[in-house]
């Protein structure tokens, strides 16, 4: 196992672990773990640094919801309707809308623009 801070290999049995809040973390099989991240460190000092870093990061519900949606869509590459997405994620329609809005804003702030909207074909 490697230290999450420095990447050093940690001898078996000497790892130090902690659980921290992280709205970007979604567990693939246990939704009760969504929003939590397990940290692994090689020393008490590195664990403290990692914990400090995660405490400085705000927990954003819409980020968690967007991650849950992304996981569900990865498992359904042909897409899902909003009701199907709600069933697959346990989110309601408002949470899905807020997650999509957050994702759009986040993508734009990362200078990764969304593809342009498609224009309907001209009908004459």
């Amino acid at each position: 196992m490697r230290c999450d801070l420095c990447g050093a290999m940690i001898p078996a049995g000497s790892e130090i672990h902690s659980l921290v809040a992280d709205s970007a973390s979604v567990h693939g099989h246990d939704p009760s773990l969504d929003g939590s991240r397990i940290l692994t460190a090689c020393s008490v000092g590195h664990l403290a640094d990692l914990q400090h870093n995660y405490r400085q990061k705000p927990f954003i519900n819409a980020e968690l919801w967007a991650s849950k949606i992304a996981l569900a869509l990865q498992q359904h590459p042909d897409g899902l309707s909003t009701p199907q997405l709600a069933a697959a994620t346990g989110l309601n329609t408002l949470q899905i809308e807020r997650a999509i809005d957050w994702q759009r804003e986040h993508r734009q702030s990362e200078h990764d623009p969304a593809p342009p909207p498609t224009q309907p074909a001209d009908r004459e």
Side-chain angles (χ1 to χ4, degrees), residues 60 62-63 65-66 69 93-109 114:
I60 303 167
E63 179 181 30
W65 302 335
I69 290 169
T93 303
L94 182 59
Q95 291 169 324
I96 292 169
E97 290 172 5
R98 287 186 179 166
I100 292 168
D101 289 343
W102 181 89
Q103 182 69 35
R104 282 187 188 124
E105 292 170 14
H106 181 72
R107 185 177 29 217
Q108 289 172 354
S109 69

Side-chain angles (χ1 to χ4, degrees), residues 6-26:
C6 70
M9 288 297 296
I10 307 169
S14 63
E15 309 94 336
I16 303 169
H17 304 282
S18 179
L19 191 65
V20 293
D22 181 5
S23 55
S25 181
V26 176

Side-chain angles (χ1 to χ4, degrees), residues 10-106:
I10 307 169
S14 63
E15 309 94 336
I16 303 169
H17 304 282
S18 179
L19 191 65
V20 293
D22 181 5
S23 55
S25 181
V26 176
H27 190 276
H29 304 287
D30 186 352
S32 70
L33 296 175
D34 291 351
S36 298
R37 181 174 303 277
I38 298 171
L39 301 176
T40 301
C42 63
S43 69
V44 172
H46 278 195
L47 185 62
D49 288 347
L50 287 163
Q51 291 170 321
H52 175 77
N53 293 343
Y54 277 94
R55 286 186 189 117
Q56 301 307 306
K57 182 182 179 279
F59 191 95
I60 303 167
N61 285 324
E63 179 181 30
L64 175 62
W65 302 335
S67 296
K68 290 172 76 87
I69 290 169
L71 180 63
L73 293 175
Q74 287 172 356
Q75 296 169 351
H76 297 90
D78 292 332
L80 294 171
S81 67
T82 299
Q84 291 170 325
L85 195 54
T89 61
L91 300 174
N92 63 43
T93 303
L94 182 59
Q95 291 169 324
I96 292 169
E97 290 172 5
R98 287 186 179 166
I100 292 168
D101 289 343
W102 181 89
Q103 182 69 35
R104 282 187 188 124
E105 292 170 14
H106 181 72

